[in-house]
Amino acid sequence: MIVAHTFLAARRALAGTVGMVPTMGYLHEGHLACATAVRATSDCVVMSIFVNPLQFNDPSDLARYPRSWDRDLALAERTGVDVVFAPSVEEMYPEPPLTRVTVSGVTEGMEGARRPGHFDGVATIVAKLFAGIRPDSAAFGRKDAQQLAVVKRLVHDLNFPVAIVEVSTVREADGLALSSRNVFIANRKAALGLSRGLFLAADSAGAGERSGRTLEEIAGRTASRAGAVVEYAELADARTARRIPTLDRVAFLAIAARAGEVRLIDNVVLEPDGTADRGTRLDGPSILGGS
Ligand code: PAF
């Protein structure tokens, strides 16, 4: 496995069809599932590891974002990643960028409304990675459903010749969605309320419920009862990320809540016939050292 710290070195290390996995490090099985997903169609797999300051609207959140360089390299290598692209902030942003990418519409609700500037930072870094690495495909987790909608729209609007591969959320055996931030969870019962609520709502959709408000209430109420402080529970169109009143298209039911000090997000993808992608479950503890 080659470790490249500049765009030039990364491009030189790549050959044939390139599959990319953009990450901010502190890898878990969700990231590894993304690498496995692009491996199938790529000669070369490149994983970027870069904690992108541009997408943090809260400097203290950036400062405490977990990092684990040696562990990340070992996991990437074990998963068959060919090239790790780990630029410095100076390589990525030699000067404060005067060009930023804004995807409107898709970014207005949910995370976009609560984290001003966050999706501009995500869209800008993804555009830079796609322009500098020029992958043929790139994998993103469904766990960040709104981010996925933003990236798909960015690729569509700017004609990036990159196939976006969607990877189902990976969960711990008890249902908790994997996230690098899970390392901060002190109140696991409250954290589990998010997935419990989503699964109950998905059961209800499977039994015929189509009202967005009812599905949202089931998810939100269940999470609150577990002790989570719910910011929102919303049924949104999977393509536009806009709230919809009825489950009549491919959608995601998203929830954001605080479990103690940690802010968590999760979702289930729902089809109009009520079937759901609830993600896949690990059968043992996560490499993050969870349950
Ligand atoms: O999902 C993430 O880890 C980040 O938002 C991404 C896509 C790597 C951009 O920094």
Side-chain angles (χ1 to χ4, degrees):
M1 188 175 78
I2 293 170
V3 179
H5 295 289
T6 63
F7 276 107
L8 202 62
R11 258 320 307 175
R12 282 199 181 128
L14 297 167
T17 52
V18 174
M20 178 161 205
V21 184
T23 82
M24 296 205 299
Y26 212 79
L27 302 180
H28 53 66
E29 288 89 341
H31 299 113
L32 307 185
C34 286
T36 306
V38 287
R39 169 94 272 162
T41 55
S42 315
D43 298 317
C44 237
V45 175
V46 55
M47 175 182 277
S48 59
I49 299 182
F50 179 66
V51 182
N52 174 31
L54 220 58
Q55 70 189 73
F56 287 81
N57 47 323
D58 172 0
S60 64
D61 192 26
L62 171 63
R64 71 185 217 131
Y65 197 83
R67 293 155 212 249
S68 58
W69 175 243
D70 293 339
R71 186 179 148 278
D72 284 353
L73 282 193
L75 286 169
E77 181 145 40
R78 209 205 292 161
T79 314
V81 169
D82 300 293
V83 178
V84 166
F85 173 48
S88 61
V89 174
E90 293 69 33
E91 167 70 7
M92 195 54 90
Y93 302 113
E95 289 183 83
L98 296 181
T99 307
R100 301 220 182 183
V101 181
T102 298
V103 181
S104 55
V106 192
T107 54
E108 271 162 27
M110 296 179 288
E111 292 306 289
R114 279 141 189 109
R115 301 177 66 190
H118 168 66
F119 283 125
D120 285 0
V122 171
T124 303
I125 193 75
V126 170
K128 283 167 75 74
L129 289 168
F130 286 179
I133 301 292
R134 302 193 297 280
D136 298 283
S137 64
F140 292 84
R142 281 186 158 178
K143 155 82 167 43
D144 295 303
Q146 191 176 10
Q147 170 173 281
L148 182 59
V150 170
V151 169
K152 285 165 86 173
R153 189 64 205 218
L154 164 79
V155 163
H156 177 75
D157 284 351
L158 296 185
N159 303 96
F160 280 110
V162 183
I164 301 303
V165 178
E166 298 186 27
V167 177
S168 288
T169 300
V170 182
R171 300 181 179 279
E172 297 224 35
D174 59 8
L176 183 73
L178 292 185
S179 160
S180 306
R181 293 177 197 272
N182 288 0
V183 69
F184 300 124
I185 293 176
N187 184 347
R188 195 165 182 101
K189 180 171 169 281
L192 280 172
L194 280 77
S195 54
R196 292 243 165 88
L198 292 171
F199 296 162
L200 281 179
D203 290 345
S204 190
E209 183 60 66
R210 294 291 176 272
S211 155
R213 180 156 296 181
T214 304
L215 296 172
E216 291 167 0
E217 273 171 14
I218 295 170
R221 198 185 329 118
T222 308
S224 298
R225 281 189 184 148
V229 179
V230 177
E231 281 184 20
Y232 64 81
E234 276 192 35
L235 181 72
D237 182 312
R239 199 176 59 82
T240 64
R242 285 190 191 271
R243 194 173 192 180
I244 50 171
T246 310
L247 177 57
D248 55 4
R249 67 200 89 169
V250 184
F252 59 87
L253 180 62
I255 187 164
R258 285 193 180 273
E261 291 301 298
V262 198
R263 183 178 186 276
L264 299 169
I265 59 169
D266 196 356
N267 72 84
V268 284
V269 177
L270 296 170
E271 301 289 332
D273 68 359
T275 53
D277 175 4
R278 302 170 191 230
T280 56
R281 292 214 197 193
L282 300 174
D283 45 23
S286 161
I287 47 181
L288 286 176
S291 63

